[in-house]
Amino acid sequence: MEKNIAGVRFLTLETGAPERFWGRRRLRRQMEAMYDAGVRRVVRQGAVPAGLLREFGMAGVDVAPLRQALLPQMLDWTETAWQIPLESGCVRLCAEETDRRVWRAADMLAHRVRYIELDTGRGEDALASELRRRYGLGSGGCPILEVCLARRPRGGCPVLLAGTGCGGGQVVRWQMQGMEEVPEELLAALFQSEKLEKEAVKIKSVEFRA
């Protein structure tokens, strides 16, 4: 079945009961048909095995770009729901390397936090120098929050996951006008297709992780 959501074409697949023999056979036939139709990215709303997706050359939609774009809302949540005082505290920014995503996140954090601790691998020193030059911002004290753009957080404090594969490590719920809750992978697909304005999405909840 084909659906058009916010101007983006989706092929929909109802898996039924893939844990049963006939359900698995039916699912495989449907996956073959979707592959032949050119589907390579999948918005998962059920228990479609990741191994089966890989077998057919498909992958779930990565929600990391969506979370990085809407990081200000996630930080708002930590201040109100988790009662974390960002203005007077130190936030750790974590990543495997200091790429463009990290620079954007650091620039945004610089306007909201008192101190920032970088754990961003290659290029970290250049970013630290720029933060000191532009904002007089450096590290100080123990981090009260970690913003993680890496695959795994360092831990030791509450964390917001926004790196590759983050959807499986921390549940974030979103809503849009007229829709109580929208699957995060669907929002991510719309966002990456440039069919979704950031202003149209509001955070509903963030699972606490520490």
Side-chain angles (χ1 to χ4, degrees), residues 18-30:
E19 69 278 3
R20 298 180 179 179
F21 175 76
W22 291 110
R24 289 196 300 271
R25 288 195 62 179
R26 178 172 177 267
L27 175 58
R28 294 185 68 87
R29 287 198 302 269
Q30 292 174 320

Side-chain angles (χ1 to χ4, degrees), residues 1-2 9-13 30-44 52-61:
M1 182 186 299
E2 183 175 325
R9 175 174 170 260
F10 290 88
L11 295 177
T12 62
L13 166 64
Q30 292 174 320
M31 296 283 288
E32 289 173 358
M34 294 185 79
Y35 180 86
D36 292 342
V39 174
R40 296 297 180 268
R41 290 195 301 164
V42 179
V43 175
R44 295 168 296 180
L52 184 60
L53 290 180
R54 289 193 296 270
E55 182 180 339
F56 282 92
M58 301 180 190
V61 177

Side-chain angles (χ1 to χ4, degrees), residues 75-179:
L75 291 172
D76 290 342
W77 178 268
T78 69
E79 290 183 308
T80 56
W82 296 354
Q83 297 293 297
I84 294 179
L86 298 180
E87 288 186 358
S88 60
C90 176
V91 172
R92 177 193 301 134
L93 180 57
C94 182
E96 280 93 4
E97 63 177 332
T98 312
D99 55 18
R100 195 177 310 173
R101 304 167 308 139
V102 174
W103 279 79
R104 285 197 299 264
D107 186 68
M108 186 271 297
L109 285 169
H111 294 87
R112 303 190 57 148
V113 306
R114 178 66 183 90
Y115 302 102
I116 185 168
E117 176 185 295
L118 297 178
D119 181 13
T120 58
R122 186 178 59 182
E124 177 183 306
D125 291 344
L127 176 56
S129 297
E130 184 67 8
L131 291 173
R132 283 193 298 269
R133 185 187 69 81
R134 294 183 62 186
Y135 305 108
L137 190 65
S139 182
C142 294
I144 58 174
L145 178 72
E146 177 178 335
V147 174
C148 180
L149 305 186
R151 289 185 177 272
R152 292 183 177 84
R154 275 185 53 186
C157 62
V159 62
L160 294 175
L161 298 181
T164 300
C166 59
Q170 183 175 43
V171 177
V172 181
R173 293 186 170 89
W174 306 91
Q175 58 189 3
M176 294 175 60
Q177 186 175 6
M179 302 178 69

